[in-house]
Amino acid sequence: MDDKILALEALKASQDATKWAYWAMLGTWISSISTLVGVIIAIVSINAWKSKETASAINQLNVAVFSFQNRLQIGRERFSTVNNREDAYEKIEILLILDKVHVATFISHNAKLRKQASVLYTDLC
């Protein structure tokens, strides 16, 4: 083989290698951008989930407290002491609803909200 042909083939091989390196670089950039987009979507999803769970916990606490207040009002109107079995069941039901309030105070993932709910529960007791 002639030296000129070998040099030409080496030049062609280096040009091909440059093209492959360019396409590999482009693929790496596209991959990193898509990974960044995936991370951003994951962060937004987690924050949306947190706010939804916080709203759900607040709603559950509100429903439990409202139910407790209603049941307590009905209980106050119906009896002053335990005279019969129905009154005893009514008092047990009030305690069960108060237990739902207690459970609702611990559902939130937010420490500040849990503290406020615990203060509310303590005031109810």
Side-chain angles (χ1 to χ4, degrees):
M1 286 210 136
D2 194 11
D3 288 339
K4 291 182 181 179
I5 295 174
L6 286 174
L8 187 62
E9 289 296 322
L11 179 64
K12 186 178 178 187
S14 67
Q15 286 177 344
D16 287 344
T18 305
K19 287 180 184 176
W20 280 106
Y22 173 77
W23 286 108
M25 178 206 59
L26 193 62
T28 303
W29 274 98
I30 291 171
S31 173
S32 63
I33 289 170
S34 64
T35 301
L36 180 64
V37 168
V39 166
I40 290 170
I41 290 172
I43 289 171
V44 168
S45 298
I46 288 173
N47 286 336
W49 173 78
K50 277 184 182 179
S51 63
K52 180 183 174 192
E53 285 298 316
T54 301
S56 175
I58 290 171
N59 186 30
Q60 188 172 358
L61 180 64
N62 288 340
V63 167
V65 169
F66 181 72
S67 177
F68 174 70
Q69 288 174 339
N70 281 342
R71 185 58 70 175
L72 194 60
Q73 187 63 32
I74 291 169
R76 284 183 184 157
E77 292 171 359
R78 285 190 53 201
F79 56 86
S80 59
T81 60
V82 176
N83 293 329
N84 58 23
R85 194 171 261 193
E86 289 178 12
D87 290 344
Y89 287 139
E90 187 70 30
K91 286 187 176 182
I92 289 172
E93 191 167 336
I94 289 172
L95 291 176
L96 290 175
I97 292 173
L98 185 61
D99 189 47
K100 287 182 183 179
V101 173
H102 182 255
V103 169
T105 59
F106 295 109
I107 287 178
S108 175
H109 297 285
N110 187 346
K112 183 178 176 183
L113 181 64
R114 262 196 323 266
K115 184 177 179 182
Q116 291 172 348
S118 295
V119 168
L120 175 68
Y121 175 73
T122 305
D123 291 342
L124 287 175
C125 290

Short mmCIF file of all heavy atoms in Angstrom, two decimals, residues 9-19:
data_model
loop_
_atom_site.label_atom_id
_atom_site.label_comp_id
_atom_site.label_asym_id
_atom_site.label_seq_id
_atom_site.Cartn_x
_atom_site.Cartn_y
_atom_site.Cartn_z
N GLU A 9 -6.85 7.11 4.35
CA GLU A 9 -7.73 6.24 5.15
C GLU A 9 -7.72 6.66 6.63
O GLU A 9 -8.75 6.64 7.29
CB GLU A 9 -7.32 4.77 5.00
CG GLU A 9 -7.62 4.17 3.65
CD GLU A 9 -9.11 4.13 3.36
OE1 GLU A 9 -9.93 3.87 4.28
OE2 GLU A 9 -9.47 4.38 2.20
N ALA A 10 -6.56 7.04 7.13
CA ALA A 10 -6.47 7.50 8.52
C ALA A 10 -7.25 8.81 8.70
O ALA A 10 -7.94 9.01 9.71
CB ALA A 10 -5.01 7.70 8.92
N LEU A 11 -7.19 9.70 7.72
CA LEU A 11 -7.94 10.94 7.76
C LEU A 11 -9.44 10.68 7.75
O LEU A 11 -10.20 11.27 8.51
CB LEU A 11 -7.54 11.84 6.58
CG LEU A 11 -8.27 13.17 6.46
CD1 LEU A 11 -7.93 14.05 7.66
CD2 LEU A 11 -7.91 13.86 5.17
N LYS A 12 -9.83 9.76 6.89
CA LYS A 12 -11.26 9.39 6.80
C LYS A 12 -11.73 8.76 8.12
O LYS A 12 -12.83 9.06 8.62
CB LYS A 12 -11.49 8.44 5.64
CG LYS A 12 -12.94 8.13 5.41
CD LYS A 12 -13.13 7.22 4.21
CE LYS A 12 -14.60 6.91 4.07
NZ LYS A 12 -14.87 5.93 3.06
N ALA A 13 -10.92 7.92 8.72
CA ALA A 13 -11.28 7.28 9.99
C ALA A 13 -11.39 8.33 11.11
O ALA A 13 -12.31 8.27 11.95
CB ALA A 13 -10.25 6.23 10.37
N SER A 14 -10.50 9.30 11.12
CA SER A 14 -10.58 10.34 12.16
C SER A 14 -11.79 11.24 11.94
O SER A 14 -12.41 11.69 12.91
CB SER A 14 -9.29 11.16 12.19
OG SER A 14 -9.15 11.91 11.01
N GLN A 15 -12.17 11.48 10.71
CA GLN A 15 -13.39 12.25 10.43
C GLN A 15 -14.63 11.49 10.90
O GLN A 15 -15.54 12.07 11.48
CB GLN A 15 -13.50 12.57 8.93
CG GLN A 15 -12.56 13.64 8.47
CD GLN A 15 -12.65 13.87 6.96
OE1 GLN A 15 -13.18 13.04 6.23
NE2 GLN A 15 -12.09 14.99 6.51
N ASP A 16 -14.68 10.20 10.65
CA ASP A 16 -15.80 9.38 11.12
C ASP A 16 -15.86 9.36 12.64
O ASP A 16 -16.94 9.43 13.24
CB ASP A 16 -15.69 7.95 10.57
CG ASP A 16 -16.02 7.87 9.09
OD1 ASP A 16 -16.62 8.84 8.57
OD2 ASP A 16 -15.67 6.85 8.46
N ALA A 17 -14.69 9.27 13.27
CA ALA A 17 -14.65 9.27 14.73
C ALA A 17 -15.15 10.60 15.28
O ALA A 17 -15.86 10.65 16.30
CB ALA A 17 -13.22 8.99 15.22
N THR A 18 -14.84 11.69 14.60
CA THR A 18 -15.31 13.00 15.03
C THR A 18 -16.83 13.08 14.92
O THR A 18 -17.50 13.62 15.81
CB THR A 18 -14.66 14.10 14.16
OG1 THR A 18 -13.25 13.96 14.21
CG2 THR A 18 -15.05 15.47 14.64
N LYS A 19 -17.39 12.55 13.83
CA LYS A 19 -18.85 12.54 13.67
C LYS A 19 -19.51 11.71 14.77
O LYS A 19 -20.52 12.12 15.35
CB LYS A 19 -19.24 12.00 12.29
CG LYS A 19 -18.95 12.94 11.17
CD LYS A 19 -19.35 12.34 9.83
CE LYS A 19 -18.96 13.26 8.69
NZ LYS A 19 -19.25 12.67 7.39
#
